[in-house]
């Protein structure tokens, strides 16, 4: 418990980075390359098993989350590709 408290900030920062990377990478896979979501899951880097991905086809966006730590969304914008949504 003490170790978790000690490393909480670093853990949360890595979770935010992983969620943002997963959202952006998967959005590009889906809406730039036009691949299926299952195929895009295979593009995750080793160690990213904890990053969950959700496709939102109506918005042409992908949400990524690390349970209890981080959330990020990336949305396809014509002419720009996939961009991360601003965090609040």
């Amino acid at each position: 418990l003490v170790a978790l408290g000690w490393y909480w900030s670093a853990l949360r920062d890595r979770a935010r980075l992983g969620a943002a990377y997963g959202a952006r990478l998967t959005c590009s896979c889906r809406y730039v390359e036009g691949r299926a979501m299952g195929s895009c899951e295979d593009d995750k880097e080793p160690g990213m098993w904890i990053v969950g991905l959700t496709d939102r086809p109506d918005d042409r966006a992908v949400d990524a989350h690390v349970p209890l730590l981080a959330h990020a969304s990336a949305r396809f914008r014509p002419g720009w590709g996939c961009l991360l949504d601003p965090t609040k």
Side-chain angles (χ1 to χ4, degrees):
L1 189 59
V2 172
L4 181 62
W6 184 264
Y7 292 108
W8 181 257
S9 179
L11 182 63
R12 188 181 61 220
D13 290 343
R14 286 183 184 207
R16 287 178 181 161
L17 180 62
Y21 178 77
R24 169 72 173 62
L25 178 75
T26 307
C27 178
S28 294
C29 174
R30 285 283 295 132
Y31 299 107
V32 175
E33 296 178 23
R35 293 169 43 201
M37 190 68 176
S39 170
C40 296
E41 288 271 354
D42 296 338
D43 291 347
K44 287 166 109 177
E45 294 290 327
M48 288 186 62
W49 58 269
I50 197 166
V51 178
L53 301 168
T54 305
D55 188 18
R56 291 189 290 136
D58 292 341
D59 297 326
R60 296 180 82 181
V62 172
D63 294 331
H65 68 278
V66 176
L68 304 175
L69 292 173
H71 177 270
S73 295
R75 180 181 324 268
F76 177 77
R77 291 182 173 84
W80 292 92
C82 287
L83 302 173
L84 290 172
D85 288 342
T87 57
K88 298 176 184 169

